[in-house]
Amino acid sequence: MCGIMAYIGDKPAKNIVYNGLKRLEYRGYDSVGIATLGETLKVVKAVGDTSKLNLNLIDSRAKLAIGHTRWATHGEPSKNNAHPHTYGSITLVHNGIIENYETIKKTIKATDLKSQTDSEVLAALIDYYYQKSQDILEATRQALSEVKGTFGIALITKDNPEILIVARRGSPILIGIGNNQYFIASDQSAILDHTNQVIYLEDDQLAEIKPSSIDIYDLKLSVQDIDIKTLDNDSKNLDLGDYQNFLEKEIYEQPEALNNVMRGRVSSDGSIVLGGPNLTQADILNLKQILIIGCGSAYYAGYYGKYVLEKILNIPVSVEHASEFRYRYGAFNKENCLAIFISQSGETADTIASLREAKRRGLKTIGIVNSVGSTIAREVTHGGIYLHAGNESSVASTKAYSSMVVALLMLGGFMSYKQGKDSAICQNIASELLKLPNEIYLSLQLHSKITKLSKQITKFNDCFYLGRGVLYAVAQEGALKLSEVAQVHAQALPIGEIKHGPIALVDNNLLSVILLPEDNLLYNKGLSTLEEVKARNGQVLTISTRPKEPLSDFHLQLSHLGEFSDGLIYNVSLQLLTLELAKNKRLNIDRPRNLAKSVTVE
Ligand code: F6R
């Protein structure tokens, strides 16, 4: 959510920052800007994405630049509200929210602000102290000590093209290290072309960076140790290749992503070994409650996990929206409750806040995270599982979601084995998982059929997604994807709930997508809902491992693998359907309106 890219070094900075911003655009794309500092300060801004910037207006030779791609919080998307913001001697880019900006504005009597943003107020506050001390590090320290809220910032002073200051609280900042050059970014995708050596700035740290040196401080200006990490990703999956959009590319990358998350963990002898979670056998045997916490698709992956973990571990599992959990009063016994935090980015503000709340309550915490070295991965108490799904560029999550579900299935198999349960459970999960990448590959072959189907249902603007058990979890994920990417209003319901109210909405204009399971009893229960909807003149698309029912209007038949993993095969068909509906409507597939990936503000 908002992307920051900055550079200081011995090379021209403009294109490095511009190309980095292009990689970060999925974090926000309503306005954009770059400031270069050479002999003079030059700033260019535009409404829209990076393609709207006139790069001729900034300095091609400057070796210091800061840039920003915005997802609006305070103030509409406009040139004035776009970053960088200059106030007095300070030019700054900011990701986060300054909660006390109104108070600050009054205290420092900043009356000549040009934008409606909290970020410009922060620039004014830093300038206020800078005018007194002429010391940029001290001025930033003083200002940040007064600020309430979250920030990732990069700032320069017009007087000194040899100093770049960066700081963070809540919003990620990482610093890539090259030869006599530093690359600052909100996430690694922006810097992977240049270096794999990085420093993750921690909360309330600020760094003073010169072309050939870096010093990191806390907010009392005590010098901090520098811990350099090596990124294990490379930049190869950051480009589109032959695909038209990243969503399609990432849907097609799922077989590979699933092989990656299982590599070295699931074996053909039926064992599942996870080295990441630091849970002893006693920890697992003592467990009486599991919480799964995340947002959006990560939450829905958790929902899928809930059904499986409860069944095989015989422990109650509740799934919590991180935005709720962080403020929730609940009775959790710290001795025997495990909280699992799921996040692709590892930087989602609500999930981080919930993790800190869970730690405050003394719970054991593990992470299921894609982004290596991210805040959640670093802050969990008992390790976790990295997804190794590679970069996910499209705003809507696809391959990370599937990998999260597989990680939860592996965790279930692993824990049931440690519980001393019948080893057949773990073996069954392992055997299904090993076949899953190929099954997903085969279900991608349904693409042309789904394209045809999409043409028949593009007319519907309202949908119910109905399922039971893991297929209810899949219905939730499918409805989210349809709403955000294809801009079709979609509501997921447990199939049995429709007659308790929502059926009032059923008519010829509403499409009910019914996910019918393989299981005989539940399949037949699902058929009753099909009949009830048809009796009210509703339109129905059934998706099932069995052939078409005479009553259904549209049908998609899928292959059957097993009770644990079938849901992911259904999910791929829903992903492809969403993709094709969005194409039919000529929407921006990778950057749906009003959205941004990695929601680092509350
Ligand atoms: C939906 C989507 C979002 C994210 C959510 C959590 O397609 O991508 O709902 O799943 O913002 O993000 P992470 O997983 O980064 O915590």
Side-chain angles (χ1 to χ4, degrees):
M1 181 151 283
C2 296
I4 287 177
M5 175 73 194
Y7 173 86
I8 185 165
D10 57 5
K11 308 257 177 341
K14 181 173 90 172
N15 287 335
I16 294 173
V17 168
Y18 177 74
N19 290 328
L21 284 183
K22 282 211 289 199
R23 288 264 169 82
L24 294 175
E25 251 163 11
Y26 66 90
R27 301 175 68 92
Y29 31 84
D30 60 41
S31 54
V32 61
I34 298 178
T36 49
L37 184 59
E39 281 169 18
T40 57
L41 176 76
K42 300 248 165 92
V43 180
V44 63
K45 301 186 193 190
V47 174
D49 63 19
T50 43
S51 64
K52 304 288 185 314
L53 283 175
N54 180 355
L55 292 181
N56 295 327
L57 299 178
I58 49 176
D59 189 342
S60 300
R61 284 170 307 168
K63 292 173 181 158
L64 171 59
I66 59 178
H68 188 268
T69 175
R70 180 168 186 251
W71 186 86
T73 54
H74 291 66
E76 55 171 8
S78 70
K79 232 173 164 176
N80 270 353
N81 288 336
H83 302 218
H85 291 288
T86 299
Y87 193 99
S89 299
I90 304 299
T91 299
L92 151 155
V93 290
H94 168 227
N95 176 8
I97 293 181
I98 306 299
E99 289 165 8
N100 55 340
Y101 78 105
E102 288 288 5
T103 317
I104 294 172
K105 204 155 88 176
K106 282 189 203 118
T107 315
I108 62 172
K109 299 188 178 54
T111 49
D112 49 352
L113 297 164
K114 294 179 271 315
S115 75
Q116 301 152 304
T117 65
D118 52 336
S119 310
E120 192 186 3
V121 176
L122 179 59
L125 182 65
I126 298 172
D127 184 64
Y128 173 81
Y129 287 116
Y130 183 66
Q131 297 311 329
K132 293 184 180 189
S133 66
Q134 294 297 304
D135 179 340
I136 185 57
L137 187 64
E138 172 59 17
T140 310
R141 181 201 76 77
Q142 277 183 285
L144 296 183
S145 305
E146 282 178 27
V147 156
K148 293 201 176 77
T150 54
F151 53 81
I153 54 170
L155 68 101
I156 53 185
T157 65
K158 68 176 173 6
D159 318 320
N160 194 342
E162 298 268 300
I163 294 186
L164 169 65
I165 303 284
V166 299
R168 80 159 261 179
R169 182 190 296 155
S171 301
I173 289 284
L174 63 91
I175 303 167
I177 305 168
N179 275 341
N180 294 323
Q181 48 184 348
Y182 293 92
F183 308 86
I184 289 77
S186 300
D187 75 48
Q188 52 175 272
S189 61
I191 63 169
L192 276 171
D193 286 340
H194 307 288
T195 181
N196 64 357
Q197 300 294 295
V198 297
I199 302 164
Y200 294 97
L201 216 56
E202 299 291 344
D203 276 354
D204 286 327
Q205 286 186 336
L206 64 165
E208 182 181 51
I209 311 175
K210 298 179 177 166
S212 52
S213 71
I214 178 164
D215 292 296
I216 299 184
Y217 303 92
D218 65 12
L219 286 186
K220 293 190 178 107
L221 287 196
S222 306
V223 176
Q224 306 289 294
D225 290 342
I226 292 182
D227 182 13
I228 300 174
K229 299 260 194 277
T230 302
L231 298 173
D232 66 353
N233 278 4
D234 59 33
S235 58
K236 78 175 182 339
N237 65 3
L238 296 176
D239 297 317
L240 267 177
D242 293 335
Y243 289 91
Q244 299 296 309
N245 55 71
F246 280 104
L247 190 75
E248 187 158 353
K249 177 171 184 263
E250 287 158 10
I251 290 173
Y252 272 82
E253 281 171 350
Q254 286 176 111
E256 187 191 344
L258 299 190
N259 276 322
N260 287 344
V261 70
M262 288 189 271
R263 185 160 296 117
R265 292 163 169 165
V266 184
S267 307
S268 51
D269 64 5
S271 63
I272 299 178
V273 178
L274 299 176
N278 299 321
L279 297 169
T280 62
Q281 186 149 17
D283 288 336
I284 294 171
L285 284 171
N286 287 336
L287 279 183
K288 299 237 170 345
Q289 184 184 18
I290 295 176
L291 303 172
I292 305 181
I293 299 159
C295 297
S297 293
Y299 170 87
Y300 295 133
Y303 224 98
Y304 193 125
K306 167 191 163 71
Y307 284 109
V308 176
L309 296 188
E310 272 183 344
K311 182 167 181 190
I312 62 178
L313 300 177
N314 203 20
I315 298 174
V317 180
S318 55
V319 195
E320 309 275 341
H321 292 285
S323 54
E324 291 291 315
F325 181 81
R326 61 184 293 184
Y327 297 115
R328 183 147 107 66
Y329 296 95
F332 307 112
N333 185 336
K334 63 181 180 186
E335 298 309 323
N336 47 31
C337 176
L338 173 69
I340 304 172
F341 290 84
I342 309 187
S343 177
Q344 187 284 128
S345 62
E347 300 293 351
T348 299
D350 285 323
T351 314
I352 293 173
S354 293
L355 167 60
R356 291 177 183 162
E357 175 60 17
K359 284 166 70 175
R360 198 184 63 74
R361 290 165 178 242
L363 306 187
K364 293 184 185 66
T365 59
I366 65 170
I368 293 182
V369 173
N370 194 31
S371 186
V372 175
S374 56
T375 304
I376 293 172
R378 294 202 310 277
E379 292 194 9
V380 283
T381 55
H382 285 67
I385 304 173
Y386 273 128
L387 300 176
H388 302 302
N391 199 66
E392 196 178 62
S393 292
S394 185
V395 162
S397 183
T398 52
K399 62 177 179 172
Y401 165 85
S402 305
S403 304
M404 288 166 185
V405 171
V406 168
L408 284 163
L409 294 177
M410 292 192 302
L411 187 65
F414 172 74
M415 285 173 57
S416 86
Y417 176 73
K418 291 273 177 190
Q419 276 182 331
K421 291 235 156 69
D422 179 1
S423 59
I425 298 175
C426 186
Q427 279 165 3
N428 286 346
I429 294 179
S431 132
E432 274 189 39
L433 285 180
L434 287 172
K435 292 182 205 133
L436 184 63
N438 191 47
E439 284 300 334
I440 298 284
Y441 171 78
L442 293 175
S443 54
L444 290 166
Q445 314 304 311
L446 291 175
H447 197 156
S448 54
K449 208 179 232 172
I450 292 174
T451 304
K452 280 192 202 121
L453 171 66
S454 77
K455 308 269 189 247
Q456 296 171 284
I457 64 170
T458 306
K459 60 180 183 213
F460 292 102
N461 291 319
D462 291 293
C463 291
F464 283 152
Y465 272 44
L466 307 169
R468 178 172 266 123
V470 291
L471 291 187
Y472 169 51
V474 170
Q476 294 182 84
E477 167 62 7
L480 171 67
K481 222 91 304 178
L482 189 72
S483 319
E484 65 177 333
V485 182
Q487 287 169 19
V488 176
H489 172 247
Q491 183 183 2
L493 291 161
I495 193 164
E497 279 297 301
I498 183 170
K499 55 187 170 300
H500 297 287
I503 201 162
L505 292 171
V506 168
D507 64 12
N508 197 30
N509 297 318
L510 184 135
L511 179 70
S512 293
V513 179
I514 303 185
L515 309 181
L516 292 168
E518 176 66 19
D519 178 274
N520 211 26
L521 173 74
L522 298 181
Y523 183 88
N524 286 322
K525 300 257 175 216
L527 286 191
S528 333
T529 305
L530 168 60
E531 305 227 9
E532 285 155 14
V533 172
K534 285 312 296 173
R536 281 140 189 101
N537 206 20
Q539 297 283 300
V540 176
L541 160 63
T542 42
I543 302 185
S544 162
T545 48
R546 302 188 188 189
K548 183 177 178 310
E549 291 292 336
L551 266 184
S552 72
D553 302 283
F554 313 100
H555 184 69
L556 197 58
Q557 186 170 351
L558 307 174
S559 56
H560 165 57
L561 176 56
E563 60 167 326
F564 300 116
S565 52
D566 270 358
L568 286 176
I569 299 173
Y570 284 68
N571 182 57
V572 167
S573 72
L574 295 178
Q575 290 171 343
L576 290 172
L577 191 60
T578 286
L579 170 74
E580 289 308 320
L581 287 168
K583 279 189 195 167
N584 297 346
K585 295 170 85 175
R586 298 182 191 285
L587 296 172
N588 186 335
I589 287 169
D590 287 331
R591 295 182 200 150
R593 77 173 174 203
N594 302 342
L595 291 179
K597 204 169 180 75
S598 193
V599 183
T600 54
V601 295
E602 192 177 350

